[in-house]
Amino acid sequence: MSTSAALDYYRSQVCAPQWRGFLRAMAAEFADALPGAELHRLMARMGERFAQSHPLPDCDDLDQLQQACNQVWAAAQWGSVCFVEQSAQVSIEHLGSPLSALLGTDADWAGGFLEGAYRHWFNAAGMLPALDVGHAGNGTADLQRYVLSRVA
């Protein structure tokens, strides 16, 4: 089986069939009713709300924060995250989110959900006010990329 076929199979299994049609219809209505930037902000607020209801334990460093996030994602079957500290930023790579399978691959605004969740968790961990989490925009249906960096 090719990697592409395996990923297609995974995407087909990530959402219970009784919810797939409902979620796709909801995503289409959202897309028809709101511009992409508004949808992205809506999803970010939903992600922040999700993170508020899934508080992380106190973490002493980035590795512990990554482990705590991955415990939440594993329990929800929402993939995993890898934080990579660089000189001026932290790269955030989330692999295996069900967002594209649930809402469709054309719902690029759906990535706001993870952005909001990570923003909340980094804030709760003591992120400096001059920093923020933003969507890096160069991901795929299976890998979403974000960056924690200084805001202008």
Side-chain angles (χ1 to χ4, degrees):
M1 177 182 290
S2 71
T3 301
S4 177
L7 289 171
D8 288 343
Y9 175 77
Y10 166 76
R11 281 188 220 100
S12 75
Q13 300 301 304
V14 55
C15 181
Q18 71 266 31
W19 286 103
R20 193 172 297 121
F22 169 78
L23 291 170
R24 292 280 172 95
M26 183 182 70
E29 284 299 316
F30 280 0
D32 287 349
L34 297 170
E38 290 290 322
L39 282 170
H40 187 87
R41 283 192 287 280
L42 173 66
M43 293 300 289
R45 289 191 307 270
M46 291 170 62
E48 289 175 15
R49 188 176 297 262
F50 173 88
Q52 288 169 1
S53 67
H54 295 83
L56 302 179
D58 290 339
C59 299
D60 294 326
D61 59 30
L62 193 60
D63 287 335
Q64 287 181 4
L65 186 62
Q66 176 182 301
Q67 290 173 357
C69 290
N70 277 326
Q71 288 178 343
V72 171
W73 296 134
Q77 297 181 342
W78 265 63
S80 63
V81 67
C82 180
F83 299 149
V84 179
E85 190 169 2
Q86 300 170 345
S87 61
Q89 66 186 28
V90 173
S91 295
I92 303 166
E93 294 187 343
H94 191 108
L95 179 65
S97 158
L99 287 169
S100 64
L102 299 175
L103 303 176
T105 56
D106 57 341
D108 57 348
W109 44 265
F113 180 87
L114 292 171
E115 180 181 310
Y118 291 122
R119 178 177 294 120
H120 177 81
W121 284 329
F122 274 103
N123 276 325
M127 178 173 70
L128 296 173
L131 301 177
D132 196 15
V133 174
H135 193 251
N138 58 351
T140 66
D142 302 303
L143 177 66
Q144 288 84 39
R145 291 189 167 106
Y146 304 87
V147 65
L148 169 65
S149 62
R150 183 174 298 279
V151 292

